[in-house]
Each structure stands twice: as structure tokens, then as C-alpha cells.
Amino acid sequence: MNDQRLAGIGMTSARTRDRLVQRLREQGIADPVVLERIRNVPRHIFVDEALGSRAYEDTALPIGFGQTISQPYIVARMSEALLAGGPLEKVLEVGTGCGYQAAVLAPLVQQLFTVERIGALLDRAKERLKELDIRNVKFRHGDGTHGWKTQGPFAGILVAAAPLAPPRELLEQLAPGGRLIVPVGQEGKQELLRFTRREEGVVRESLGRVAFVPLLGGKF
Ligand code: SAH
């Protein structure tokens, strides 16, 4: 991929990205480090060329296999909730999808582990992150409901698909002080939750209503 494609032109140019960042700011995203990543990650390379001109709209877009690339606002909101003002060491992402969220997050953490159940999506995500020269990400093809035990515990876990209840194994893989950001509930009725592992136990906070694809079992 050449530099011009990465930099973008017309509807994928720097000005279009600035407008998106401005919009996210108006919607309450305040972390300058997260906003800078949203500005710098070329979202248009994560979607089909035919959808490139819509890449900097604040909306989810199809990426095949019935899945979507997350809305920039949601990626920013989850990243902000996960980082809570400071960089983290080990972070686990469940639901790599096209790799966009991973690209936003990777430079803000020491090491990112990401699990995806659809092999073809995972392969594409690997390629994109390589093109962006992002090297601190380890990929796994599997069911992320079980986390990644051999690499845990994690300072942060971010789940990009919605289970009906917070997966027990993910809570167990949180390091002391660690945060799990997860959308929970049936389609159309989901709430974004943050669980923080404190000395006195796990604390739960609600971050508002959201719409995610369901977290599914198995892999293919
Ligand atoms: N992080 C992505 C969002 C992708 S959508 C982005 O940046 O756009 C959510 C993804 O979660 C889909 O690709 C879906 O296949 C995946 N997924 C659903 N259930 C899963 C599971 N149990 N384990 C791993 N991935 C899962």
C-alpha cells in the first residue's frame, strides 16, 4: 500500500478526519491521546474501497461475514474508558474484526492481545496492522469468551461484541486495578459496562446504551 493511499485524498483526507475528531469532541470524548489516534489511523483502509468515501462518517460500516467496523465514537469511548487517562501494559481485545480498534489502541498500550472467531477477518486485520507498521499486537483465532489465559492477567480487557452477561473468565483474567469494558445484553437493549478489579472486589459502572453485534461461541 502506498503512502498516498494511507494519507487519503478527498473524502478520506486530513480535513475530513479533522471534522470527525471535532464531532467526537462535541459528543464528549475528551482524551487528547485517543482523539489523536482517531485522527491518525486511516479508517478508510479497513473498509471496502467502495465504502472508503464514508470511512470518516461516525457510523458502523459492513466488513463482510455479517460483521461491522465499529463506529468511531464507540471506539473512542471504549478506548477512553479503558485507558482512563494513562497508558496500560497488557491489554486484551475480544473481537478483532477488521482491526480498526486494535490499530487505535496498540500504540497506547505496551502489548495488545486480540482474539477473533472468524479466521478470514483475523487474516485481513493482521495485514492491515502490518501495513501500518504496528508491531506490538499478538493475534489469536478462537473464541474470546474464554479470554487468553496463558497471556493474562490483563490491565485492560475490551470486548467488541455483546454477551448476555459479563463472561466470568474475562473478569478472572483482570489484574489488580484492571478494567473490563464490555457491552452486555440482548440486541437492541445493550448497556456498556466497566468492571474494575479493586481490593474490595469488582466494581461495576454503567457507561450508557449501545448497539453491538452479539458475542458468539465457536470459531470458523
Ligand atoms: N474491533 C472491531 C469490531 C468488530 S465487530 C473494529 O474495530 O471494528 C465484533 C467482532 O467480534 C466481529 O468480528 C465478530 O466476529 C467478533 N466476535 C464475536 N464473538 C466473538 C467471540 N466469542 N470471540 C472472538 N470474536 C468474536
Side-chain angles (χ1 to χ4, degrees), residues 35-54:
L35 288 169
E36 205 45 34
R37 285 307 292 157
I38 298 282
R39 188 199 309 279
N40 289 334
V41 176
R43 190 168 183 255
H44 62 279
I45 72 162
F46 291 90
V47 297
D48 225 54
E49 217 156 328
L51 288 172
S53 64
R54 301 191 55 201

Side-chain angles (χ1 to χ4, degrees), residues 58-137:
D58 189 23
T59 175
L61 294 168
I63 53 171
F65 306 91
Q67 304 303 322
T68 55
I69 179 170
S70 298
Q71 184 192 349
Y73 172 77
I74 283 295
V75 170
R77 182 93 177 85
M78 289 181 91
S79 303
E80 197 174 62
L82 183 81
L83 298 166
L88 297 179
E89 288 183 16
K90 281 182 167 187
V91 170
L92 173 70
E93 177 191 38
V94 175
T96 320
C98 60
Y100 176 64
Q101 168 86 68
V104 168
L105 208 54
L108 310 182
V109 308
Q110 212 171 79
Q111 198 162 27
L112 182 66
F113 298 85
T114 186
V115 186
E116 169 60 54
R117 65 185 286 274
I118 302 176
L121 283 179
L122 190 69
D123 290 343
R124 228 189 281 161
K126 271 186 201 166
E127 255 175 57
R128 295 289 172 270
L129 294 194
K130 206 168 147 196
E131 280 157 18
L132 295 177
D133 211 20
I134 293 174
R135 297 165 186 275
N136 61 333
V137 182

Side-chain angles (χ1 to χ4, degrees), residues 105-199:
L105 208 54
L108 310 182
V109 308
Q110 212 171 79
Q111 198 162 27
L112 182 66
F113 298 85
T114 186
V115 186
E116 169 60 54
R117 65 185 286 274
I118 302 176
L121 283 179
L122 190 69
D123 290 343
R124 228 189 281 161
K126 271 186 201 166
E127 255 175 57
R128 295 289 172 270
L129 294 194
K130 206 168 147 196
E131 280 157 18
L132 295 177
D133 211 20
I134 293 174
R135 297 165 186 275
N136 61 333
V137 182
K138 282 203 161 43
F139 301 86
R140 181 178 190 180
H141 181 206
D143 180 354
T145 315
H146 308 296
W148 194 333
K149 248 190 208 125
T150 51
Q151 298 290 356
F154 301 98
I157 302 178
L158 189 154
V159 187
L164 295 178
R168 182 182 47 81
E169 285 163 283
L170 296 184
L171 287 165
E172 284 170 3
Q173 288 172 39
L174 280 182
R179 292 181 279 270
L180 165 65
I181 316 293
V182 58
V184 170
Q186 287 171 10
E187 242 167 321
K189 280 195 197 167
Q190 298 159 354
E191 195 179 8
L192 189 62
L193 299 177
R194 174 163 64 185
F195 293 91
T196 307
R197 179 173 292 286
R198 298 250 169 80
E199 252 173 60

